[in-house]
Amino acid sequence: HLFSDGPVPPHGLSMGLGTIATAKALLLMATGSSKSDAVRAMVQPETPVEACPAALLRDHRNATVLLDREAAASLGEVT
């Protein structure tokens, strides 16, 4: 269960890829080692958006991605 450590929020928000792609600005936050593979897929040029919706951030004109060390672990060392 997604909210096993606390109450389920009373409201949610969902958007389609078209809405996200045309946004003026995007912010993606990923935390934890369970997101590491998805983060790697997001930045690999050969990953299609159909397989990893976050991959559309690669071409967005104003996208910011915030990662903790665990989520970024599969990206390798940054120099």
Side-chain angles (χ1 to χ4, degrees):
H1 186 270
L2 182 62
F3 299 101
S4 60
D5 61 344
V8 176
H11 304 285
L13 176 69
S14 63
M15 290 185 216
L17 292 178
T19 302
I20 294 169
T22 60
K24 291 180 182 178
L26 295 173
L27 173 64
L28 176 102
M29 289 178 50
T31 62
S33 60
S34 65
K35 302 297 186 227
S36 183
D37 289 341
V39 168
R40 185 179 65 246
M42 176 185 70
V43 300
Q44 291 178 332
E46 64 274 9
T47 303
V49 172
E50 297 80 18
C52 179
L56 73 86
L57 274 71
R58 287 190 308 246
D59 298 322
H60 196 277
R61 67 188 179 283
N62 189 16
T64 301
V65 178
L66 302 175
L67 307 171
D68 66 5
R69 289 184 188 275
E70 291 80 18
S74 68
L75 296 178
E77 187 173 325
V78 176
T79 58

